[in-house]
């Protein structure tokens, strides 16, 4: 089965931070899970490189905007490589193909009379690259950026967003266009039913750093319209609405709640206008704060993803971020909490279990006996694992895996295999149970911690190719502990 998954394409006005890493790691976990299932997967990440925010930042640094974007986009790519993100493409909105396709889209909409010229007066938040309504402001400021938006009055082109409101409500309601978790779906439906969607200003006259409108070169394209097209240009769409690449539509688009509204209004409206099928599902996760506060430079509480990688390693960073709180809810993280979790779950949990079992098995294991006592527990865990992974409950999935680890710890304490070295058959049976468990643990943690999983397979002497456990011949070779203990 084909599976197309996307993260948002992130703005390159700033370096990648932990929020970006959070979404991207989650998407990579799901990607690797589907790959393991044998799905034909395409995983898109990318960079959103146009707009006033970037134009101004580049100017401030005295750089040409393209060079500025190249530098920051390279930092994103570097981080994704470091975090072992297995994306198929890193789409950039400054790519030539992307730009010409966006122009084709605009021309199509213009020809369909879905774009018209008018005048816009509104409050514009540069931080969000979005016009704001009064209701969205708190004390006249954008609540996200703590800045008063600018009053802008200018000639511009509008997209007939209002034409599509009814259709969007219908598609969300009947789950043709799924929005999860359910609270997010309800929230967006109640917004769509209460407020009338205004036509959308899709061009700017005084923003030079953008894609010129094909029918009026004195305007550039609104960044969100530009950015949404990347979900299509990233799979190599050339702008012909009758020739949509095979991977379309996305099975899953991941993002945080900050950009749900645009993804549930402008995005489906553009697709409906072009007669292109809507994505199957948007999954919205929460925001995290650091020690109860929003991450910000002024508060000085920024944790860079690279700091975590240096401190804990790549796999542990991936694990630690997703094991803090349920994906889909808001939550808080702190270095102290991450350190504690590293020690309890990775060093003393998975690492210690694998090390103890393999130390014993290296000298005492004879051959795999399928007749062991914990098959049922593994089966139950595997079922729960599949269910939670399918529901994108990544935090719950990890809990389920770590429950199995505690179960094995208890099993060992109970059976005390180190005391029966003189009863090789009995010992072999226990070791078989434990090795089978460790094999399945390695499979289950693979999407989350691919390198750790590989290390476990190597120590088990098994080449992992989705074999059934009966066919596996273990050739144990204990190596160093999976996770070094931190002082
Ligand atoms: N460029 C647009 C997206 C265009 S998609 C067609 C954009 N970029 S962004 O750089 O601001 O990224 C927003 C996304 O970053 C969020 O939706 C989320 O995925 C991630 N996060 C940023 N900060 C976050 C937290 N503090 N917590 C969790 N995720 C966060 O919007």
């Amino acid at each position: 089965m084909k599976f197309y998954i996307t993260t948002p394409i992130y703005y390159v006005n700033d370096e990648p931070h932990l929020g970006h890493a959070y979404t991207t790691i989650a998407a990579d976990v799901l990607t690797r899970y589907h790959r393991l299932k044998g799905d034909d997967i395409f995983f898109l990440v990318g960079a959103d490189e146009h707009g006033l925010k970037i134009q101004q930042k580049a100017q401030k640094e005295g750089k040409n905007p393209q060079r500025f974007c190249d530098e920051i986009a390279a930092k994103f790519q570097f981080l994704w490589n470091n975090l072992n993100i297995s994306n198929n493409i890193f789409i950039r909105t400054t790519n030539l193909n992307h730009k010409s396709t966006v122009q084709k889209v605009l021309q199509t909409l213009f020809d369909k009379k879905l774009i018209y010229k008018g005048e816009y007066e509104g409050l514009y938040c540069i931080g969000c690259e979005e016009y704001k309504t009064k209701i969205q402001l708190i004390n006249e400021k954008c609540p996200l950026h703590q800045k008063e938006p600018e009053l802008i009055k200018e000639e511009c082109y509008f997209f007939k967003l209002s034409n599509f409101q009814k259709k969007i409500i219908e598609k969300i309601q009947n789950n043709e266009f799924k929005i999860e978790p359910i609270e997010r779906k309800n929230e967006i439906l109640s917004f769509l039913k209460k407020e009338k969607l205004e036509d959308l200003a899709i061009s700017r006259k005084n923003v030079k750093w953008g894609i010129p409108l094909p029918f009026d070169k004195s305007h550039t394209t609104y960044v969100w319209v530009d950015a949404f097209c990347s979900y299509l240009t990233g799979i190599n769409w050339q702008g012909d609405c009758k020739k949509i690449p095979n991977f379309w539509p996305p099975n899953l688009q991941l993002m945080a709640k900050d950009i749900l509204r645009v993804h549930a209004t402008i995005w489906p409206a553009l697709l409906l206008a072009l007669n292109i099928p809507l994505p199957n599902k948007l999954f919205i996760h929460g925001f995290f704060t650091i020690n109860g506060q929003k991450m910000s430079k002024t508060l000085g509480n920024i944790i860079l993803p690279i700091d975590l990688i240096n401190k804990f390693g790549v796999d542990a960073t991936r694990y630690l971020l997703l094991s803090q709180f349920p994906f889909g809810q808001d939550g808080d993280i702190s270095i102290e909490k991450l350190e504690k979790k590293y020690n309890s779950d990775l060093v003393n949990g998975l690492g210690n279990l694998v090390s103890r079992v393999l130390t014993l098995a290296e000298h005492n294991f004879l051959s795999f006996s399928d007749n062991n006592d914990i098959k049922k527990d593994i089966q139950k865990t595997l079922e729960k694992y599949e269910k939670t992974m399918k529901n994108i409950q990544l935090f719950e999935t990890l809990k389920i895996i770590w429950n199995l680890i505690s179960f094995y710890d208890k099993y060992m304490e109970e059976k005390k295999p180190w005391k029966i070295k003189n009863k090789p058959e009995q010992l072999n049976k226990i070791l078989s149970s434990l090795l089978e468990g460790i094999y399945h643990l390695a499979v289950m943690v693979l999407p989350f911690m691919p390198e750790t999983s590989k290390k476990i397979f190597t120590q088990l002497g098994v080449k992992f190719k989705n074999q059934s456990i009966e066919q596996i011949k273990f050739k144990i070779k204990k190596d160093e502990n999976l996770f070094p203990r931190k002082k």
Side-chain angles (χ1 to χ4, degrees):
M1 208 180 80
K2 75 101 193 162
F3 198 92
Y4 178 29
I5 179 169
T6 69
T7 66
I9 57 162
Y10 304 117
Y11 287 126
V12 297
N13 63 314
D14 237 329
E15 313 225 335
H17 60 64
L18 218 48
H20 302 132
Y22 184 65
T23 314
T24 311
I25 291 170
D28 188 59
V29 168
L30 294 163
T31 294
R32 287 177 185 272
Y33 169 74
H34 280 279
R35 236 182 243 134
L36 211 58
K37 299 251 133 240
D39 285 342
D40 184 13
I41 186 141
F42 195 91
F43 173 22
L44 173 142
V45 305
D48 194 351
E49 307 192 354
H50 290 125
L52 192 57
K53 210 168 15 173
I54 290 162
Q55 180 181 311
Q56 290 180 340
K57 193 91 189 266
Q59 201 174 15
K60 210 163 130 199
E61 294 190 13
K63 286 178 187 155
N64 134 340
Q66 186 63 60
R67 197 185 126 206
F68 176 84
C69 290
D70 290 347
E71 283 174 9
I72 305 219
K75 291 194 179 168
F76 273 93
Q77 275 171 302
F78 181 75
L79 177 63
W80 303 150
N81 279 339
N82 258 305
L83 277 171
N84 213 350
I85 302 300
S86 58
N87 53 301
N88 296 81
I89 184 131
F90 184 90
I91 182 75
R92 299 180 57 184
T93 56
T94 49
N95 280 358
L96 286 182
N97 174 53
H98 174 83
K99 288 199 274 194
S100 65
T101 303
V102 170
Q103 289 189 320
K104 283 186 203 152
V105 165
L106 290 160
Q107 191 63 52
T108 307
L109 297 175
F110 190 68
D111 295 344
K112 286 189 169 187
K113 308 232 172 332
L114 289 168
I115 288 181
Y116 62 91
K117 196 174 185 174
E119 194 177 58
Y120 195 87
E121 186 177 320
L123 296 165
Y124 195 80
C125 170
I126 299 180
C128 297
E129 294 280 17
E130 226 180 41
Y131 283 106
K132 296 278 167 189
T133 58
K134 287 249 160 65
I135 324 166
Q136 287 176 298
L137 305 177
I138 296 176
N139 296 330
E140 299 186 356
K141 287 183 181 160
C142 162
L144 267 180
H145 294 93
Q146 293 302 323
K147 265 198 194 136
E148 282 188 25
E150 283 176 46
L151 184 70
I152 295 181
K153 188 174 174 180
E154 62 176 23
E155 166 198 292
C156 81
Y157 287 85
F158 286 88
F159 166 59
K160 286 191 182 167
L161 182 60
S162 55
N163 279 14
F164 300 96
Q165 182 154 9
K166 232 179 105 208
K167 195 99 212 140
I168 296 173
I169 294 180
E170 211 179 282
K171 298 244 181 207
I172 296 178
Q173 230 154 9
N174 69 16
N175 283 334
E176 252 177 88
F177 178 42
K178 294 189 195 74
I179 295 179
E180 291 180 7
I182 181 83
E183 310 87 68
R184 298 288 171 208
K185 172 180 173 180
N186 293 339
E187 177 189 306
I188 205 74
L189 273 177
S190 88
F191 160 78
L192 281 167
K193 286 178 182 168
K194 234 181 11 227
E195 276 184 53
K196 189 176 157 347
L197 287 183
E198 302 290 337
D199 285 348
L200 178 77
I202 54 114
S203 76
R204 297 290 306 276
K205 233 180 158 166
N206 60 356
V207 179
K208 294 282 157 282
W209 185 238
I211 303 176
L213 296 185
F215 42 85
D216 184 346
K217 301 262 166 25
S218 66
H219 286 247
T220 55
T221 310
Y222 175 47
V223 276
W224 273 101
V225 173
D226 173 354
F228 281 131
C229 290
S230 69
Y231 293 143
L232 278 149
T233 59
I235 51 169
N236 209 16
W237 183 51
Q238 308 291 325
D240 180 346
C241 296
K242 294 209 175 69
K243 275 199 204 136
I244 311 288
N246 282 341
F247 270 105
W248 196 261
N251 299 68
L252 178 62
Q253 301 204 278
L254 279 189
M255 71 202 70
K257 56 185 183 175
D258 55 335
I259 55 175
L260 165 61
R261 198 174 279 190
V262 276
H263 272 83
T265 52
I266 307 174
W267 178 218
L270 284 171
L271 292 170
L272 289 168
L274 294 166
N275 231 339
I276 297 177
L278 302 193
N280 295 340
K281 189 191 285 184
L282 308 183
F283 189 94
I284 316 302
H285 66 76
F287 251 56
F288 61 74
T289 46
I290 304 217
N291 285 319
Q293 285 173 314
K294 191 171 178 269
M295 254 196 301
S296 89
K297 278 194 184 145
T298 26
L299 290 171
N301 63 353
I302 296 223
I303 303 177
L304 288 176
I306 204 74
D307 298 338
L308 294 188
I309 297 177
N310 289 338
K311 191 170 169 75
F312 298 112
V314 174
D315 273 10
T317 299
R318 293 168 61 106
Y319 172 79
L320 291 174
L321 285 180
L322 294 176
S323 61
Q324 295 302 302
F325 55 88
F327 195 63
Q329 293 175 21
D330 288 339
D332 188 55
I333 64 166
S334 70
I335 288 286
E336 294 72 33
K337 275 194 249 175
L338 297 177
E339 271 169 358
K340 236 169 120 186
K341 196 99 179 126
Y342 176 85
N343 284 323
S344 66
D345 290 12
L346 298 178
V347 180
N348 299 329
L350 180 61
N352 196 32
L353 175 72
V354 171
S355 156
R356 285 170 82 197
V357 173
L358 292 194
T359 306
L360 264 172
E362 193 163 34
H363 302 293
N364 302 289
F365 177 64
L366 304 170
S367 68
F368 185 65
S369 136
D370 197 26
N371 166 29
N372 62 58
D373 14 89
I374 48 182
K375 278 241 179 294
K376 262 208 305 247
D377 301 276
I378 294 178
Q379 206 43 47
K380 262 196 235 144
T381 302
L382 289 175
E383 280 161 22
K384 285 190 207 156
Y385 176 87
E386 290 298 327
K387 196 166 158 220
T388 49
M389 278 304 249
K390 278 209 184 90
N391 293 339
I392 319 183
Q393 294 171 299
L394 304 178
F395 170 82
E396 287 76 3
T397 308
L398 290 174
K399 274 224 150 120
I400 285 162
I401 305 175
W402 260 259
N403 281 343
L404 191 66
I405 294 177
S406 323
F407 172 83
Y408 285 124
D409 282 340
K410 276 196 217 112
Y411 177 79
M412 272 189 101
E413 284 316 308
E414 223 172 79
K415 301 279 176 186
K416 304 203 179 353
W418 53 91
K419 284 198 174 158
I420 49 167
K421 287 192 180 158
N422 53 349
K423 295 180 186 151
E425 272 195 23
Q426 214 179 321
L427 176 58
N428 188 62
K429 205 173 149 199
I430 294 170
L431 285 174
S432 290
S433 296
L434 288 163
L435 289 172
E436 175 164 2
I438 285 180
Y439 172 84
H440 284 293
L441 284 173
V443 178
M444 286 190 282
V445 300
L446 190 150
F448 296 88
M449 299 195 280
E451 287 307 308
T452 302
S453 171
K454 223 187 261 169
K455 281 187 200 162
I456 302 175
F457 287 128
T458 310
Q459 296 195 33
L460 290 174
V462 168
K463 272 213 178 65
F464 174 63
K465 274 201 221 94
N466 254 338
Q467 306 108 312
S468 69
I469 191 85
E470 291 80 12
Q471 294 160 356
I472 288 173
K473 291 204 172 26
F474 294 109
K475 253 171 109 188
I476 311 296
K477 198 171 175 304
K478 164 107 182 44
D479 202 351
E480 59 189 31
N481 287 7
L482 297 171
F483 302 96
R485 195 169 287 281
K486 302 259 175 264
K487 272 165 240 119

